[in-house]
Every structure is written in C-alpha cells, then in structure tokens.
Amino acid sequence: MDDRLIRQAARMLQEARRIVVFTGAGISTESGIPDFRSPRPFPPRYNSDDLTYQKFISHERYRKIYWDYDRARYPAMRDALPNDAHRAVVEIERTGRMTALITQNIDGLHQKAGSNPALVYELHGTVHEVGCLHCHTRWSREAITDRMEREGIEVPYCEHCGGPLKVATIAFGQSLPTDVLEESFRHAQACDLFITIGSSLVVQPANLLPPQAKRSGARLILVNLSGTPYDNIMDVILLGPAGPTMKAIMEDFGRISAGGGD
Ligand code: NAD
C-alpha cells in the first residue's frame, strides 16, 4: 500500500464538503460475493440470454429459469456480512459531508453495515425485495421465499392482481429506474469529491458518473484491484483490496482530523 497516496486521499476527504461514494461489486468480494470479473462468477450454469427481462415477461418457462437462478444466488447475499470497506463508507457518512452513496450492488451490504438508507441509491435494485410487475406491490424477499417454500411454488404470482412477481433487481435488458439514475447524476454533478470503490467502470450508464463529477469540477479517487477505462481522469488511484485500503484511508483521516497533520 502506498502511504503517500493513502495520505493524499485522506487529505482530500478532509478538504471535501460534498462527498459522493460510488461502489461496485468489488467492494463486496471480501464479504464472499464474487464480482463479474472473477474466474468463477456466480451462480454458474445459467445463460444470461435466458435471464433477460424480455424473456421473463414473455413466458412461464423463463420465469422458472429466472427464479431458479435467483434462488441459487440469494443465500450468499442474504448471509454475507459487511467488510471494512462498507464500514469505512459508514465512517465517511458520519463526517456529515456525504451527500449520496450510489451503488451498483444488489446485496444490501451498505445498509447492513449501517449506512443511512435515505442516502443509498441502488442503481440495479435489491435482492431483498420482490415486486409485482403489474400492480407494483412490494414484499420483503423473505416473505416471498417463505411463501414459495410453504406452498411449493416455483414461480410466484401476486396475491392481489395475479401479476408475475420478480426480484426487485434490474434484469439484463431492463432499464434502470429513471428517478434513481437522475438523482445519482444530480449528486455526481454537485459533489466536490467522488470516490469510486470496487468497480470495473465498464457497465453503462453507471460508469458515466465519474466523468460527470469530473466535468463539474470534483476531485476523483479510485480504489480498485485493477485499472479502469477512466483511470486518466482520476486524481488518486489506489490499486489494492477495498477493505484494507479504505480502512487505512479512514485511519489517516482520523489522525489528520485529530490534529496529527503531516
Ligand atoms: P464488476 O464485476 O464489473 O467489477 C468489479 C471490479 O472490482 C473489478 O474491476 C475488480 O478488479 C474489482 N475488485 C474485485 N475485488 C476487489 C477488492 N477486494 N477490492 C477492490 N476492488 C476489487 O462490477 P461492477 O463494476 O459493479 O459492475 C458489474 C455489475 O455487477 C453490476 O451491474 C452489479 O449489479 C453486478 N453485480 C453485483 C454484485 C453485488 O451486489 N455484490 C455481485 C456481482 C455482480
């Protein structure tokens, strides 16, 4: 770990007034949830072509494949625990200067770590809720899972209107919620420090958030295991595991705040 870069990131945190944190699957790999770039992404044996939103709404057969897939991936997310990087984000929030926590993750680990749900923008939805595609009623995931197990249901339908139920994540081919997306871009535009943690920055439109922040004059920090297509606009790049890196930044931030200076 490069102490000089850690110190630089900590100082940027100290100087910032409106901080946006933006996270991807890489912040949760240390919690045991693989990202999409791992040698063994999860869950195996499913073909993404069978999991598109268009197929889900077209036929019961694909709804069954979707629910099988989701049942395979859900336990790992339900049982995962937040790691040091999620906790560091909670610490950033406690400075009172974090305006938004934008995440591409669907695992809910930020909220589990203690992040204020009102500040969390889940671009790709959440695995912890289920919604009716017709009347838009929402249920907790546990309630639907219990019902499916109790009644031996493979594909659940809405108790109110009979519409198909789908986990409240954004499926392949499904557009992102406009309000969440617009708010996220608004926050990126208004911040003066934008911190990306654990994202390959290849998935659109979320990867357009850092350049948006940059254009508006914000400083940019990247914490990631590998480089991204946007490395050229970053002010500080910390290549390393998110947990230890974020922990080191927050420890340094604590020292500076306590008057430890350089
Ligand atoms: P990604 O899989 O494209 O990229 C993850 C990045 O994190 C990679 O660049 C990798 O080098 C880096 N990384 C992995 N482990 C790391 C660690 N310990 N510390 C620091 N960096 C680490 O993920 P993305 O950019 O979020 O976008 C892809 C899509 O993956 C999103 O649509 C998201 O919804 C979905 N997804 C989410 C989860 C989750 O909720 N945890 C898991 C898998 C995929």
Side-chain angles (χ1 to χ4, degrees), residues 23-30 33-38 42 77 104-108 124 197-203 223-228 240-243:
T23 65
I27 196 173
S28 295
T29 56
E30 289 161 49
I33 303 175
D35 63 14
F36 278 173
R37 320 291 144 192
S38 303
F42 84 109
M77 296 214 186
Q104 297 169 89
N105 295 347
I106 54 177
D107 55 34
H124 297 162
I197 310 169
S199 177
S200 59
L201 295 181
V202 296
V203 180
V223 177
N224 207 49
L225 273 186
S226 52
T228 76

Side-chain angles (χ1 to χ4, degrees), residues 127-148:
V127 286
H128 299 295
E129 287 182 26
V130 171
C132 171
L133 295 185
H134 289 177
C135 70
H136 306 294
T137 305
R138 285 245 189 167
W139 287 270
S140 80
R141 173 59 184 261
E142 290 299 330
I144 298 302
T145 305
D146 286 352
R147 189 181 129 206
M148 288 171 77

Side-chain angles (χ1 to χ4, degrees), residues 85-150:
H86 297 101
R87 285 187 280 275
V89 176
V90 176
E91 278 185 58
I92 295 176
E93 181 184 323
R94 290 202 182 121
T95 65
R97 291 182 272 131
M98 190 180 84
T99 54
L101 168 51
I102 304 168
T103 187
Q104 297 169 89
N105 295 347
I106 54 177
D107 55 34
L109 284 180
H110 285 300
Q111 293 91 327
K112 225 186 225 184
S115 286
N116 176 0
L119 294 182
V120 181
Y121 293 85
E122 292 175 311
L123 289 173
H124 297 162
T126 174
V127 286
H128 299 295
E129 287 182 26
V130 171
C132 171
L133 295 185
H134 289 177
C135 70
H136 306 294
T137 305
R138 285 245 189 167
W139 287 270
S140 80
R141 173 59 184 261
E142 290 299 330
I144 298 302
T145 305
D146 286 352
R147 189 181 129 206
M148 288 171 77
E149 278 169 15
R150 208 174 46 242

Side-chain angles (χ1 to χ4, degrees), residues 36 47-57 62-63 66-67 69-70 73 104 106 122-127 133 165-177 203-205:
F36 278 173
N47 179 350
S48 57
D49 289 345
D50 288 338
L51 297 168
T52 64
Y53 185 68
Q54 288 68 22
K55 289 218 169 132
F56 184 90
I57 53 176
Y62 292 109
R63 289 195 274 279
Y66 172 90
W67 274 99
Y69 154 81
D70 204 77
R73 73 174 172 171
Q104 297 169 89
I106 54 177
E122 292 175 311
L123 289 173
H124 297 162
T126 174
V127 286
L133 295 185
L165 296 188
K166 187 186 155 299
V167 179
T169 53
I170 304 301
F172 299 104
Q174 190 176 7
S175 39
L176 270 59
V203 180
Q204 277 206 23

Side-chain angles (χ1 to χ4, degrees), residues 65-83:
I65 294 174
Y66 172 90
W67 274 99
D68 281 350
Y69 154 81
D70 204 77
R71 266 201 302 272
R73 73 174 172 171
Y74 179 60
M77 296 214 186
R78 181 196 55 205
D79 300 338
L81 295 174
N83 63 55

